Amino acid sequence: MHLFTLIVFLVCFCNSLFAQTGSIFVSIASNGKSIDAATVSLLNADSSWVRSDITDEQGKVSFTGVAAGKYLVSASFLGYKTGMQTVEIKEGQAFDCNIELEKESASLAEVAVTAKKPFIEMSLGKTIVNVEGSTTTGAINVLDLMSRLPGVIADQNGNITMRGKSGVLVLVNDKPTYLSGDDLAAYLRGTTANEVSQIELITQPGARYDAAGNTGIINVKFRKNKKVGLNGNVSAGYQPGRYYRRDESFLLNYRKNKLNLLLAVSDFEAIGHADWKQDMYYMDGAGNVTGSNINRSSATERFSHTTLRFAADYDLSEQTTIGVSARGAYHPNKMGAWLNATYKDDVNGATTYTNSDAPEGHIRKELVVNVYATHKFSKEHTLDVNVDALSFSKNADQDFIISRYNEQMQPVGTPERTNSMQKSPISIYSFKIDDACTFKNGLKLETGIKMSQLTMDFDASFHRYDNNEWINDTGRTNHFLYKEHINAAYAALASGFGKKWETRIGLRAEQTSASGLQYIHNDWFTKNYISLFPTAYVNYKPDTNNQLELNYGRRINRPEYRQLNPFVYYSFQNMYSVGNPALMPQYTNNVELKHSYKNTVITTISWSNTTDVIQGFLTVDTNNVSTNKLRNIASNNNVYLNIELNKDITKWWSFNISGTTFYAYFEGIFNNAWKKSEWTGYSFNTSSRFDLGKGWRAEVYGSYTSSGRWSLTSTFKPVIGFDFGMSKKFNDHWTARLFAQDPLYLFALRANDYGVNYRAETSFRNATRRFNFSLTYNFGGEQKDRRERSMDEARRL
């Protein structure tokens, strides 16, 4: 009731505030046929620019919040003469503007004009990175592509940070993946970056987005087909070497009149490798080293990923479109891993060696279905309905063979053998309604509701080999059932205020109801809470060259369901981790100020405060056995400054560089005492794109991130990235690409962690040095005269 009252108040307040503005609804056509993707500009009476937009598939576009006065509306489209119309807006008036374009002469229509988007663009609450057409995207996957974004670090385990902070929500075509960690990494690795048109770094998401992700959102948007008739492409790639990769894909699209069908199949097989090192030192109260545990691990995996997706949409009328999409994935994986550990007891002068062999494998399956409907009551009022269902399963098996040796490398006892079978089926259902309405005075109101339900049933059975038989290990067997319901409602208001101001405010409410049951020990918990997430934006354009934006938002980062499982997980010798059902969500308040000059120089400064930071807290007992448990132990303040430069040095050389400096301050309870820590770091990303002529293109990318701090007790060392690639377009059908990723083998993740009676140095490096060759063949219909509707195409969840 309080939320409804607040929404009504906001509507009334903004309606009176912007009562002196109006709206212009523009329709562009030629010979009675709508023109999609036409550029429409709103100009003052003296022809000075006010704003521009692109027409939709019905050839329509609207300008809201327009101050009273006289204007010119200009419309242009390749192959057509520019159309103009004079309009006069009165207070609270809506003006319909219909412009008919005439075709140019045949000689002009045949001239090929290529429009190139800037690599980085600034938009309200987000930064847009246009990657479509990049030389290297055909040879890398989406996870690799993310690691090249300004201010983003993404490792092969699905850990993603943005602006030096974790807690990033990954969306695909504006929808959540519901995956995290290894599962998210596997999904992103299984998708080629060639399918991506742009990536949005949404540092201040609006009210219509889920509030999850305290750092913000990375929204991956896939390319949209713009051809009629039957068309598609076939692509194949190969990466030679010890850790090879081969991939093939096939896409078929049929579009005619009101019907659009899509069928896509992709498959790849690869061998991966990773090395992990950790040196842990144990200390007494005086800081003297009393022992150490030196671990060296190496793992090689062979895996494949097959994806089948289907999508169809149909225009029932000019006002109503319905569609359905489905995506299935099959991912088998076999891995062999070994671990050598050397444990030294400096107090007693004893040394123990341990060799562990840990072969494992898993099969991951996914099925995602989306059904949607869109209805336009009028050009000012649109309703979208989405129903989604996801079925995810991962069945894994793992064996451990642990052998121990004394200082003379003589066996100690018999080898310890254990095995496990783990099943983790997940089902997710969601229902969402979004309504957008623009009033005559230019005020735009967006409202919506969403309901989602998640069920996860994690069942792990452990056995140990004893007296020539396998017996159930009751100390490790685990069965955990988790259910989560989230109900959400939101409202957002947007309007112009004169010719130079644009404002937007929103409020989202989310109710979370969760329960977990650990069957083995009969541990259970419930959580039920309601959170409010306000957002506000003010955008000011003093002239055509400058744009200034100030925004605010609140976000949440809920604990993952695996983190809530009160069960002890065995990692390596003397190393364990345990879930914590008492974990609470962490909340972040973020303020951001941005300035853009000609969309060439973009400057951003932001401040954020996070409370109840979730952090792993490692404790070491008197036997030097370490246990890692997540807790809400800290708060965090971040200050961030970033400057982007996008510049076309010449007609054939486009250059981008991004420089960032950030300051982080942590404070919280550590070892029953209040502790503070801080650090300042910096990073930069640079890329150059070269159009060498005759179909040749090249691209070079480099990045550097200085040392920094993950949390109250953890720091990391510098991270370096370097890639380059070339492509050759032979004709409209054939394109070849050659790509080198990390050819100098510079990329590695290294971190330090310290506690009351220990310190640890860890490094992780996988097979990032790769050379890939790919060949693509495109076939089929002509370019379509309208854009494809922005639909999911099964890239959901």
Side-chain angles (χ1 to χ4, degrees):
M1 185 64 185
H2 295 292
L3 178 60
F4 176 76
T5 303
L6 180 58
I7 292 173
V8 172
F9 169 76
L10 290 175
V11 173
C12 296
F13 173 75
C14 291
N15 191 44
S16 61
L17 180 63
F18 303 117
Q20 295 181 344
T21 63
S23 303
I24 302 176
F25 299 99
V26 185
S27 297
I28 308 298
S30 178
N31 295 326
K33 293 185 178 180
S34 302
I35 298 181
D36 172 35
T39 300
V40 181
S41 298
L42 181 64
L43 311 174
N44 289 312
D46 60 0
S47 297
S48 61
W49 180 83
V50 178
R51 67 180 85 162
S52 299
D53 208 340
I54 303 296
T55 57
D56 62 15
E57 60 269 22
Q58 278 81 40
K60 298 179 180 180
V61 68
S62 62
F63 298 105
T64 60
V66 180
K70 293 183 178 182
Y71 297 89
L72 293 174
V73 177
S74 170
S76 61
F77 189 69
L78 181 63
Y80 292 80
K81 296 180 180 179
T82 299
M84 301 280 290
Q85 184 172 332
T86 302
V87 299
E88 183 175 359
I89 297 298
K90 298 181 180 180
E91 296 180 3
Q93 181 189 32
F95 189 93
D96 291 324
C97 178
N98 300 306
I99 298 179
E100 188 81 9
L101 297 184
E102 296 181 13
K103 284 191 175 182
E104 294 275 14
S105 62
S107 60
L108 289 176
E110 292 171 358
V111 175
V113 178
T114 302
K116 182 171 64 174
K117 290 183 178 180
F119 182 63
I120 293 180
E121 296 179 89
M122 173 179 165
S123 185
L124 203 62
K126 61 187 175 183
T127 299
I128 301 172
V129 184
N130 295 301
V131 298
E132 185 172 5
S134 170
T135 302
T136 59
T137 54
I140 61 176
N141 56 57
V142 175
L143 187 62
D144 294 330
L145 181 61
M146 282 187 178
S147 65
R148 304 171 62 184
L149 300 175
V152 176
I153 299 177
D155 65 28
Q156 296 299 308
N157 296 320
N159 300 311
I160 301 173
T161 63
M162 184 165 62
R163 298 184 172 184
K165 298 183 294 181
S166 59
V168 179
L169 176 66
V170 176
L171 302 183
V172 175
N173 288 341
D174 295 313
K175 296 185 177 182
T177 63
Y178 294 107
L179 300 174
S180 61
D182 293 338
D183 298 330
L184 176 61
Y187 169 72
L188 297 176
R189 281 199 303 264
T191 306
T192 174
N194 194 39
E195 300 181 47
V196 180
S197 64
Q198 61 181 212
I199 295 182
E200 298 176 338
L201 305 178
I202 310 175
T203 53
Q204 204 70 281
R208 73 182 182 92
Y209 290 102
D210 290 350
N214 67 285
T215 300
I217 292 174
I218 297 179
N219 185 24
V220 182
K221 307 193 78 170
F222 288 92
R223 299 168 61 183
K224 302 170 185 177
N225 191 283
K226 300 180 180 180
K227 295 181 178 180
V228 294
L230 184 66
N231 56 82
N233 63 68
V234 180
S235 180
Y238 184 72
Q239 170 190 310
R242 179 181 177 185
Y243 306 114
Y244 79 95
R245 171 180 172 131
R246 58 100 187 139
D247 54 87
E248 308 88 22
S249 65
F250 171 76
L251 184 144
L252 190 65
N253 193 89
Y254 176 77
R255 177 186 288 275
K256 187 174 183 180
N257 299 327
K258 300 180 179 181
L259 178 66
N260 180 45
L261 300 173
L262 179 141
L263 177 66
V265 181
S266 63
D267 178 75
F268 78 84
E269 181 182 67
I271 295 179
H273 180 80
D275 292 316
W276 176 83
K277 301 177 181 179
Q278 185 182 72
D279 297 343
M280 178 173 284
Y281 300 93
Y282 308 110
M283 298 174 292
D284 58 20
N288 301 311
V289 175
T290 60
S292 61
N293 196 356
I294 310 301
N295 296 281
R296 298 292 183 268
S297 177
S298 181
T300 301
E301 62 177 349
R302 186 187 188 103
F303 58 95
S304 63
H305 188 93
T306 303
T307 302
L308 173 66
R309 55 190 178 102
F310 168 80
D313 66 272
Y314 184 77
D315 297 329
L316 294 177
S317 65
E318 291 187 0
Q319 291 77 34
T320 305
T321 300
I322 59 173
V324 60
S325 64
R327 176 182 181 272
Y330 179 76
H331 179 100
N333 184 301
K334 285 291 184 181
M335 184 175 70
W338 58 264
L339 170 70
N340 290 338
T342 302
Y343 173 71
K344 291 185 177 181
D345 183 349
D346 293 344
V347 176
N348 299 311
T351 302
T352 303
Y353 301 95
T354 300
N355 293 333
S356 300
D357 187 16
E360 64 176 88
H362 69 260
I363 295 177
R364 182 168 56 86
K365 301 177 183 178
E366 300 174 33
L367 178 62
V368 184
V369 178
N370 167 261
V371 179
Y372 79 91
T374 296
H375 181 74
K376 294 185 177 180
F377 298 97
S378 65
K379 53 190 175 184
E380 305 92 1
H381 190 185
T382 303
L383 181 70
D384 292 305
V385 179
N386 278 271
V387 179
D388 296 290
L390 174 144
S391 176
F392 174 92
S393 67
K394 183 177 180 181
N395 296 336
D397 61 90
Q398 184 179 40
D399 294 327
F400 271 104
I401 303 175
I402 304 174
S403 303
R404 294 179 174 85
Y405 304 88
N406 59 21
E407 294 181 355
Q408 290 74 38
M409 296 302 295
Q410 297 176 340
V412 177
T414 58
E416 177 184 339
R417 297 179 60 187
T418 62
N419 67 23
S420 67
M421 297 289 294
Q422 303 175 29
K423 299 179 180 180
S424 55
I426 301 173
S427 62
I428 301 173
Y429 303 94
S430 70
F431 173 76
K432 185 174 70 165
I433 298 178
D434 298 287
D435 183 90
C437 182
T438 302
F439 300 98
K440 290 184 177 181
N441 61 358
L443 182 67
K444 184 176 182 180
L445 172 64
E446 294 180 343
T447 57
I449 60 172
K450 181 179 179 181
M451 294 171 285
S452 65
Q453 174 182 305
L454 178 146
T455 302
M456 189 276 295
D457 191 357
F458 178 78
D459 190 0
S461 60
F462 285 78
H463 298 82
R464 68 175 186 271
Y465 194 74
D466 193 9
N467 294 326
N468 297 321
E469 64 175 340
W470 291 98
I471 61 175
N472 183 33
D473 189 342
T474 57
R476 296 181 183 176
T477 295
N478 178 23
H479 189 184
F480 179 63
L481 178 65
Y482 179 77
K483 294 183 178 181
E484 182 180 82
H485 300 263
I486 298 178
N487 300 314
Y490 75 88
L493 293 160
S495 181
F497 187 37
K499 298 180 180 181
K500 299 181 179 181
W501 293 89
E502 180 184 0
T503 60
R504 182 190 302 172
I505 56 175
L507 181 65
R508 185 180 183 92
E510 292 189 354
Q511 178 198 25
T512 303
S513 178
S515 63
L517 174 61
Q518 225 291 348
Y519 286 98
I520 303 302
H521 304 292
N522 198 30
D523 293 332
W524 64 277
F525 64 87
T526 60
K527 296 178 181 291
N528 198 325
Y529 52 91
I530 298 177
S531 303
L532 297 179
F533 303 97
T535 54
Y537 309 80
V538 177
N539 191 58
Y540 174 61
K541 296 181 179 179
D543 51 51
T544 57
N545 295 330
N546 293 278
Q547 179 179 343
L548 193 66
E549 177 189 334
L550 177 66
N551 59 54
Y552 162 78
R554 187 172 189 250
R555 308 288 296 168
I556 186 175
N557 192 30
R558 298 179 180 88
E560 300 173 14
Y561 44 83
R562 290 185 178 92
Q563 296 174 341
L564 297 170
N565 186 357
F567 181 78
V568 177
Y569 297 89
Y570 173 78
S571 299
F572 298 107
Q573 180 190 17
N574 296 332
M575 298 177 64
Y576 298 86
S577 61
V578 59
N580 183 5
L583 282 178
M584 297 300 294
Q586 59 184 41
Y587 293 90
T588 297
N589 290 280
N590 187 66
V591 178
E592 186 177 68
L593 178 64
K594 299 169 67 176
H595 174 262
S596 173
Y597 175 72
K598 290 186 177 181
N599 211 39
T600 300
V601 181
I602 301 175
T603 305
T604 304
I605 183 170
S606 69
W607 168 84
S608 66
N609 171 260
T610 303
T611 58
D612 292 324
V613 174
I614 299 174
Q615 178 187 330
F617 188 81
L618 191 68
T619 58
V620 179
D621 63 17
T622 55
N623 295 318
N624 290 335
V625 175
S626 60
T627 302
N628 186 33
K629 185 175 183 179
L630 291 171
R631 300 177 183 176
N632 300 100
I633 64 172
S635 64
N636 171 225
N637 285 276
N638 280 274
V639 178
Y640 168 92
L641 172 64
N642 173 260
I643 300 177
E644 303 269 358
L645 172 63
N646 304 287
K647 182 68 175 178
D648 289 337
I649 307 298
T650 66
K651 292 182 179 180
W652 51 269
W653 179 14
S654 297
F655 177 74
N656 165 265
I657 187 169
S658 169
T660 303
T661 182
F662 32 79
Y663 168 80
Y665 176 82
F666 292 85
E667 60 180 0
I669 298 177
F670 179 75
N671 191 30
N672 298 320
W674 195 257
K675 180 177 176 59
K676 301 178 181 180
S677 61
E678 60 183 354
W679 67 279
T680 302
Y682 61 92
S683 68
F684 75 86
N685 299 69
T686 180
S687 64
S688 290
R689 295 167 298 284
F690 306 94
D691 190 346
L692 305 178
K694 296 184 179 181
W696 286 97
R697 301 180 66 187
E699 185 172 339
V700 180
Y701 165 83
S703 68
Y704 177 83
T705 301
S706 71
S707 59
R709 178 171 293 277
W710 293 116
S711 64
L712 190 65
T713 61
S714 301
T715 61
F716 62 88
K717 295 184 178 181
V719 180
I720 304 174
F722 172 67
D723 309 323
F724 68 88
M726 295 190 68
S727 68
K728 166 64 175 176
K729 186 175 183 180
F730 298 97
N731 49 46
D732 290 339
H733 300 290
W734 290 99
T735 302
R737 294 180 176 90
L738 179 64
F739 173 67
Q741 180 181 10
D742 195 16
L744 304 179
Y745 204 37
L746 301 173
F747 185 85
L749 297 177
R750 295 167 294 171
N752 294 331
D753 189 76
Y754 60 92
V756 179
N757 52 355
Y758 77 91
R759 61 180 174 87
E761 301 172 0
T762 306
S763 68
F764 175 85
R765 168 169 280 182
N766 60 335
T768 54
R769 177 188 289 165
R770 297 186 294 178
F771 299 89
N772 183 281
F773 174 78
S774 65
L775 189 64
T776 301
Y777 176 75
N778 295 282
F779 60 90
E782 299 296 329
Q783 191 73 17
K784 190 170 175 54
D785 61 357
R786 67 178 180 90
R787 293 177 298 177
E788 179 183 9
R789 181 192 181 280
S790 178
M791 72 166 289
D792 179 346
E793 290 187 358
R795 284 293 178 187
R796 171 73 170 93
L797 307 177

